[in-house]
mmCIF file of all heavy atoms in Angstrom:
data_model
loop_
_atom_site.group_PDB
_atom_site.id
_atom_site.type_symbol
_atom_site.label_atom_id
_atom_site.label_comp_id
_atom_site.label_asym_id
_atom_site.label_seq_id
_atom_site.Cartn_x
_atom_site.Cartn_y
_atom_site.Cartn_z
ATOM 1 N N LEU A 1 28.813 3.161 161.105
ATOM 2 C CA LEU A 1 27.495 3.386 160.582
ATOM 3 C C LEU A 1 26.510 2.405 161.080
ATOM 4 O O LEU A 1 25.382 2.798 161.473
ATOM 5 C CB LEU A 1 27.480 3.361 159.009
ATOM 6 C CG LEU A 1 28.432 4.443 158.317
ATOM 7 C CD1 LEU A 1 28.376 4.179 156.858
ATOM 8 C CD2 LEU A 1 27.768 5.846 158.633
ATOM 9 N N ALA A 2 26.908 1.149 161.179
ATOM 10 C CA ALA A 2 26.003 0.173 161.691
ATOM 11 C C ALA A 2 25.677 0.364 163.187
ATOM 12 O O ALA A 2 24.574 0.185 163.602
ATOM 13 C CB ALA A 2 26.684 -1.283 161.526
ATOM 14 N N ALA A 3 26.726 0.729 163.945
ATOM 15 C CA ALA A 3 26.433 1.027 165.454
ATOM 16 C C ALA A 3 25.423 2.162 165.637
ATOM 17 O O ALA A 3 24.686 2.224 166.619
ATOM 18 C CB ALA A 3 27.740 1.411 166.093
ATOM 19 N N ALA A 4 25.383 3.071 164.636
ATOM 20 C CA ALA A 4 24.438 4.190 164.776
ATOM 21 C C ALA A 4 23.026 3.918 164.242
ATOM 22 O O ALA A 4 22.007 4.487 164.670
ATOM 23 C CB ALA A 4 25.037 5.441 164.074
ATOM 24 N N LYS A 5 22.990 2.985 163.305
ATOM 25 C CA LYS A 5 21.679 2.782 162.643
ATOM 26 C C LYS A 5 21.003 1.456 162.972
ATOM 27 O O LYS A 5 19.832 1.299 162.736
ATOM 28 C CB LYS A 5 21.870 2.883 161.101
ATOM 29 C CG LYS A 5 22.405 4.277 160.626
ATOM 30 C CD LYS A 5 21.406 5.304 160.986
ATOM 31 C CE LYS A 5 21.799 6.718 160.547
ATOM 32 N NZ LYS A 5 20.941 7.792 160.859
ATOM 33 N N LEU A 6 21.779 0.429 163.313
ATOM 34 C CA LEU A 6 21.225 -0.844 163.601
ATOM 35 C C LEU A 6 20.972 -1.155 165.082
ATOM 36 O O LEU A 6 21.916 -1.001 165.853
ATOM 37 C CB LEU A 6 22.075 -2.014 163.121
ATOM 38 C CG LEU A 6 22.346 -1.918 161.496
ATOM 39 C CD1 LEU A 6 23.248 -3.073 161.081
ATOM 40 C CD2 LEU A 6 21.040 -1.936 160.713
ATOM 41 N N PRO A 7 19.774 -1.415 165.511
ATOM 42 C CA PRO A 7 19.528 -1.704 166.920
ATOM 43 C C PRO A 7 20.385 -2.648 167.637
ATOM 44 O O PRO A 7 20.845 -2.538 168.809
ATOM 45 C CB PRO A 7 18.038 -2.013 166.958
ATOM 46 C CG PRO A 7 17.509 -1.463 165.752
ATOM 47 C CD PRO A 7 18.569 -1.590 164.710
ATOM 48 N N PHE A 8 20.620 -3.794 166.848
ATOM 49 C CA PHE A 8 21.468 -4.845 167.481
ATOM 50 C C PHE A 8 22.864 -4.418 167.788
ATOM 51 O O PHE A 8 23.474 -4.601 168.830
ATOM 52 C CB PHE A 8 21.512 -6.071 166.505
ATOM 53 C CG PHE A 8 22.535 -7.115 166.952
ATOM 54 C CD1 PHE A 8 22.307 -7.877 168.042
ATOM 55 C CD2 PHE A 8 23.736 -7.233 166.211
ATOM 56 C CE1 PHE A 8 23.313 -8.844 168.463
ATOM 57 C CE2 PHE A 8 24.658 -8.217 166.621
ATOM 58 C CZ PHE A 8 24.472 -8.943 167.697
ATOM 59 N N MET A 9 23.443 -3.605 166.822
ATOM 60 C CA MET A 9 24.794 -3.102 166.963
ATOM 61 C C MET A 9 24.826 -2.077 168.140
ATOM 62 O O MET A 9 25.769 -2.025 168.906
ATOM 63 C CB MET A 9 25.253 -2.475 165.692
ATOM 64 C CG MET A 9 25.597 -3.570 164.550
ATOM 65 S SD MET A 9 26.850 -4.639 165.037
ATOM 66 C CE MET A 9 27.011 -5.647 163.503
ATOM 67 N N ALA A 10 23.783 -1.286 168.183
ATOM 68 C CA ALA A 10 23.674 -0.247 169.259
ATOM 69 C C ALA A 10 23.463 -0.979 170.640
ATOM 70 O O ALA A 10 24.105 -0.460 171.618
ATOM 71 C CB ALA A 10 22.455 0.688 168.992
ATOM 72 N N ALA A 11 22.859 -2.081 170.658
ATOM 73 C CA ALA A 11 22.632 -2.875 171.948
ATOM 74 C C ALA A 11 23.957 -3.345 172.456
ATOM 75 O O ALA A 11 24.099 -3.350 173.623
ATOM 76 C CB ALA A 11 21.642 -3.949 171.711
ATOM 77 N N ILE A 12 24.816 -3.788 171.564
ATOM 78 C CA ILE A 12 26.099 -4.404 172.075
ATOM 79 C C ILE A 12 27.164 -3.277 172.167
ATOM 80 O O ILE A 12 28.363 -3.537 172.393
ATOM 81 C CB ILE A 12 26.574 -5.459 171.178
ATOM 82 C CG1 ILE A 12 26.812 -5.071 169.784
ATOM 83 C CG2 ILE A 12 25.711 -6.690 171.170
ATOM 84 C CD1 ILE A 12 27.440 -6.093 168.795
ATOM 85 N N GLU A 13 26.719 -2.038 171.810
ATOM 86 C CA GLU A 13 27.632 -0.872 171.914
ATOM 87 C C GLU A 13 28.949 -1.023 171.160
ATOM 88 O O GLU A 13 30.026 -0.790 171.652
ATOM 89 C CB GLU A 13 27.910 -0.507 173.362
ATOM 90 C CG GLU A 13 26.639 -0.188 174.185
ATOM 91 C CD GLU A 13 26.905 0.207 175.586
ATOM 92 O OE1 GLU A 13 27.995 0.822 175.847
ATOM 93 O OE2 GLU A 13 26.123 -0.045 176.412
ATOM 94 N N LEU A 14 28.790 -1.451 169.887
ATOM 95 C CA LEU A 14 29.924 -1.643 169.061
ATOM 96 C C LEU A 14 30.679 -0.374 168.862
ATOM 97 O O LEU A 14 30.117 0.710 168.564
ATOM 98 C CB LEU A 14 29.495 -2.164 167.705
ATOM 99 C CG LEU A 14 30.595 -2.228 166.619
ATOM 100 C CD1 LEU A 14 31.651 -3.280 166.992
ATOM 101 C CD2 LEU A 14 30.010 -2.645 165.314
ATOM 102 N N SER A 15 32.039 -0.404 169.086
ATOM 103 C CA SER A 15 32.885 0.791 168.835
ATOM 104 C C SER A 15 34.121 0.328 168.061
ATOM 105 O O SER A 15 34.949 -0.337 168.713
ATOM 106 C CB SER A 15 33.264 1.448 170.141
ATOM 107 O OG SER A 15 34.168 2.434 169.896
ATOM 108 N N THR A 16 34.170 0.510 166.790
ATOM 109 C CA THR A 16 35.295 -0.006 165.996
ATOM 110 C C THR A 16 36.585 0.773 166.320
ATOM 111 O O THR A 16 37.667 0.255 166.173
ATOM 112 C CB THR A 16 34.946 0.139 164.530
ATOM 113 O OG1 THR A 16 34.535 1.442 164.170
ATOM 114 C CG2 THR A 16 33.879 -0.834 164.062
ATOM 115 N N SER A 17 36.433 2.091 166.757
ATOM 116 C CA SER A 17 37.625 2.790 167.177
ATOM 117 C C SER A 17 38.206 2.268 168.432
ATOM 118 O O SER A 17 39.494 2.131 168.588
ATOM 119 C CB SER A 17 37.306 4.290 167.309
ATOM 120 O OG SER A 17 36.307 4.474 168.296
ATOM 121 N N THR A 18 37.305 1.872 169.353
ATOM 122 C CA THR A 18 37.858 1.217 170.631
ATOM 123 C C THR A 18 38.443 -0.139 170.296
ATOM 124 O O THR A 18 39.512 -0.522 170.876
ATOM 125 C CB THR A 18 36.656 0.977 171.600
ATOM 126 O OG1 THR A 18 36.084 2.375 171.825
ATOM 127 C CG2 THR A 18 37.196 0.459 172.919
ATOM 128 N N LEU A 19 37.814 -0.936 169.404
ATOM 129 C CA LEU A 19 38.429 -2.157 169.037
ATOM 130 C C LEU A 19 39.831 -1.956 168.322
ATOM 131 O O LEU A 19 40.749 -2.707 168.654
ATOM 132 C CB LEU A 19 37.478 -2.859 168.025
ATOM 133 C CG LEU A 19 37.881 -4.261 167.470
ATOM 134 C CD1 LEU A 19 37.847 -5.294 168.621
ATOM 135 C CD2 LEU A 19 37.020 -4.659 166.336
ATOM 136 N N GLY A 20 39.887 -0.947 167.503
ATOM 137 C CA GLY A 20 41.148 -0.654 166.858
ATOM 138 C C GLY A 20 42.229 -0.206 167.835
ATOM 139 O O GLY A 20 43.421 -0.577 167.737
ATOM 140 N N ALA A 21 41.837 0.602 168.823
ATOM 141 C CA ALA A 21 42.824 1.068 169.828
ATOM 142 C C ALA A 21 43.326 -0.157 170.625
ATOM 143 O O ALA A 21 44.567 -0.231 170.929
ATOM 144 C CB ALA A 21 42.177 2.074 170.836
ATOM 145 N N GLY A 22 42.425 -1.058 170.880
ATOM 146 C CA GLY A 22 42.892 -2.272 171.549
ATOM 147 C C GLY A 22 43.807 -3.150 170.790
ATOM 148 O O GLY A 22 44.781 -3.671 171.284
ATOM 149 N N MET A 23 43.585 -3.186 169.470
ATOM 150 C CA MET A 23 44.566 -3.939 168.545
ATOM 151 C C MET A 23 45.969 -3.258 168.606
ATOM 152 O O MET A 23 46.920 -3.916 168.471
ATOM 153 C CB MET A 23 43.988 -3.903 167.115
ATOM 154 C CG MET A 23 42.721 -4.758 166.971
ATOM 155 S SD MET A 23 42.246 -4.848 165.221
ATOM 156 C CE MET A 23 43.637 -5.793 164.492
ATOM 157 N N ILE A 24 45.965 -1.973 168.682
ATOM 158 C CA ILE A 24 47.225 -1.260 168.676
ATOM 159 C C ILE A 24 48.026 -1.498 169.969
ATOM 160 O O ILE A 24 49.273 -1.726 169.979
ATOM 161 C CB ILE A 24 47.086 0.216 168.492
ATOM 162 C CG1 ILE A 24 46.594 0.426 166.939
ATOM 163 C CG2 ILE A 24 48.370 1.074 168.683
ATOM 164 C CD1 ILE A 24 46.182 1.831 166.622
ATOM 165 N N VAL A 25 47.318 -1.413 171.148
ATOM 166 C CA VAL A 25 48.004 -1.552 172.426
ATOM 167 C C VAL A 25 48.302 -2.939 172.855
ATOM 168 O O VAL A 25 49.220 -3.244 173.648
ATOM 169 C CB VAL A 25 47.319 -0.837 173.547
ATOM 170 C CG1 VAL A 25 47.173 0.667 173.195
ATOM 171 C CG2 VAL A 25 45.943 -1.375 173.824
ATOM 172 N N GLY A 26 47.479 -3.960 172.377
ATOM 173 C CA GLY A 26 47.750 -5.345 172.660
ATOM 174 C C GLY A 26 46.957 -5.857 173.901
ATOM 175 O O GLY A 26 46.266 -5.146 174.546
ATOM 176 N N ALA A 27 47.036 -7.182 174.089
ATOM 177 C CA ALA A 27 46.244 -7.828 175.072
ATOM 178 C C ALA A 27 46.575 -7.564 176.495
ATOM 179 O O ALA A 27 45.666 -7.411 177.300
ATOM 180 C CB ALA A 27 46.377 -9.423 174.812
ATOM 181 N N ARG A 28 47.849 -7.313 176.754
ATOM 182 C CA ARG A 28 48.179 -7.071 178.170
ATOM 183 C C ARG A 28 47.541 -5.755 178.716
ATOM 184 O O ARG A 28 47.209 -5.729 179.840
ATOM 185 C CB ARG A 28 49.661 -6.999 178.272
ATOM 186 C CG ARG A 28 50.406 -8.412 178.084
ATOM 187 C CD ARG A 28 51.870 -8.275 178.158
ATOM 188 N NE ARG A 28 52.518 -9.544 177.900
ATOM 189 C CZ ARG A 28 53.099 -10.301 178.849
ATOM 190 N NH1 ARG A 28 53.241 -9.911 180.093
ATOM 191 N NH2 ARG A 28 53.599 -11.512 178.530
ATOM 192 N N ILE A 29 47.424 -4.783 177.912
ATOM 193 C CA ILE A 29 46.784 -3.547 178.322
ATOM 194 C C ILE A 29 45.231 -3.676 178.174
ATOM 195 O O ILE A 29 44.469 -3.282 179.076
ATOM 196 C CB ILE A 29 47.311 -2.366 177.517
ATOM 197 C CG1 ILE A 29 48.796 -2.024 177.869
ATOM 198 C CG2 ILE A 29 46.464 -1.093 177.731
ATOM 199 C CD1 ILE A 29 49.382 -0.982 177.063
ATOM 200 N N GLY A 30 44.818 -4.204 177.130
ATOM 201 C CA GLY A 30 43.373 -4.391 176.851
ATOM 202 C C GLY A 30 42.675 -5.229 177.917
ATOM 203 O O GLY A 30 41.599 -4.829 178.457
ATOM 204 N N LEU A 31 43.228 -6.305 178.261
ATOM 205 C CA LEU A 31 42.573 -7.171 179.266
ATOM 206 C C LEU A 31 42.664 -6.536 180.639
ATOM 207 O O LEU A 31 41.824 -6.857 181.528
ATOM 208 C CB LEU A 31 43.326 -8.609 179.232
ATOM 209 C CG LEU A 31 42.931 -9.472 177.982
ATOM 210 C CD1 LEU A 31 43.694 -10.781 178.099
ATOM 211 C CD2 LEU A 31 41.467 -9.564 177.839
ATOM 212 N N ALA A 32 43.704 -5.822 180.905
ATOM 213 C CA ALA A 32 43.830 -5.087 182.233
ATOM 214 C C ALA A 32 42.667 -4.149 182.417
ATOM 215 O O ALA A 32 42.069 -4.061 183.543
ATOM 216 C CB ALA A 32 45.067 -4.361 182.354
ATOM 217 N N ALA A 33 42.292 -3.474 181.324
ATOM 218 C CA ALA A 33 41.092 -2.624 181.352
ATOM 219 C C ALA A 33 39.789 -3.390 181.669
ATOM 220 O O ALA A 33 38.922 -2.928 182.441
ATOM 221 C CB ALA A 33 40.937 -1.836 180.048
#
């Protein structure tokens, strides 16, 4: 909701689902991307 409504959050392109996917796959895959 914040990413859609708050300009600051939109500016940094916050994506909690992307953050969550990174938490599931771990640093070795996340940092490679």
